[in-house]
């Protein structure tokens, strides 16, 4: 009978945590890439592109991430597209992330005074110059705190990828529990792993919010 020491359990969880972080990073970078054109479409104020972005955002925000993972993994197979658990998880989490980021970032832009757009137009700046030189730097200052805060939700959302067979921290914990029959120890360490990944981001998000309000020196 195979026996696992405490170090064996910790070592295997640490190895799986790498994939949790890599999947989170992939989802966040991919979500950023998808968000940028959606954000430009929303800022364009044209009827149909704006409606498309709103529908896109409501679709992925209004449906469970678990269902999106199932559709990405099993749904594509119905069209003859064979995808790995990694690919399906990265795709689903990228789309999920972009649906929230587009609202966070567009809300940060909308929070700025409308007079700044008019002032830039009076100075002869085009839309691109206005966004790059005036609007984006100020909106970034507003958006960074909620964006960092949302990254915590992305990390925790990767746990659902275990349901389609992707071996990340939660899946590794389940496999170790099936071997060791020590659920309290194993899942306690899994919870600790998520806490150690998410807590620094949560604290940093709170710090940024206080800094934005001028509460810290």
């Amino acid at each position: 009978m195979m026996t696992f020491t405490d170090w064996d359990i910790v070592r295997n969880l640490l190895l799986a945590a790498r994939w949790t972080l890599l999947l989170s990073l992939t989802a966040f970078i991919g979500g950023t890439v998808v968000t940028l054109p959606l954000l430009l479409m929303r800022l364009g104020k044209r009827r149909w592109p704006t409606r498309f972005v709103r529908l896109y955002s409501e679709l992925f925000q209004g449906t469970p991430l678990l269902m999106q993972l199932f559709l990405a993994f099993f749904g594509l197979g119905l069209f003859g597209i064979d995808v790995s658990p990694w690919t399906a998880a990265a795709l689903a989490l990228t789309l999920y992330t972009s649906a929230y980021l587009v609202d966070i970032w567009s809300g940060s832009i909308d929070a700025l005074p409308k007079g700044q757009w008019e002032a830039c137009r009076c100075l002869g700046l085009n839309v691109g110059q206005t966004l790059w030189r005036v609007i984006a730097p100020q909106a970034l200052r507003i958006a960074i705190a909620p964006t960092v805060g949302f990254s915590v939700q992305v990390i925790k959302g990767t746990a659902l990828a275990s349901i389609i067979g992707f071996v990340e921290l939660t899946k590794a914990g389940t496999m170790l529990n099936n071997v060791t029959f020590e659920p309290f120890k194993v899942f306690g360490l899994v919870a600790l792993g998520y806490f150690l990944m998410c807590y620094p981001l949560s604290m940093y998000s709170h710090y940024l919010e206080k800094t934005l309000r001028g509460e810290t020196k």
Side-chain angles (χ1 to χ4, degrees), residues 148 152 193-207:
V148 172
V152 174
Y194 280 109
F195 177 79
L196 292 176
M197 287 186 283
C198 295
Y199 183 74
L201 288 173
S202 297
M203 291 297 98
Y204 186 51
S205 176
H206 293 323
Y207 168 77

Side-chain angles (χ1 to χ4, degrees), residues 42-60:
R42 176 170 284 183
L43 292 176
K45 304 295 184 182
R46 295 186 178 181
R47 182 178 179 183
W48 291 110
T50 301
R51 286 188 174 183
F52 169 78
V53 176
R54 185 175 62 184
L55 177 62
Y56 176 92
S57 177
E58 291 176 352
L59 175 64
F60 287 99

Side-chain angles (χ1 to χ4, degrees), residues 100-179:
Y100 283 89
L101 288 182
V102 71
D103 278 350
I104 293 173
W105 293 354
S106 63
S108 300
I109 292 175
D110 290 340
L112 299 175
K114 303 298 181 183
Q116 295 199 26
W117 291 89
E118 299 172 359
C120 290
R121 195 158 47 243
C122 293
L123 291 173
L125 299 179
N126 59 35
V127 175
Q129 292 172 325
T130 300
L131 280 173
W132 180 253
R133 297 183 179 181
V134 180
I135 302 300
Q138 298 178 81
L140 179 63
R141 185 167 177 263
I142 299 174
I144 190 169
T147 300
V148 172
F150 176 69
S151 66
V152 174
Q153 302 303 319
V154 176
I155 293 175
K156 292 189 291 186
T158 60
L160 294 176
S162 62
I163 203 69
I164 59 174
F166 181 70
V167 183
E168 41 66 67
L169 188 55
T170 299
K171 184 67 173 180
T174 302
M175 295 167 66
L176 287 169
N177 178 62
N178 292 338
V179 175

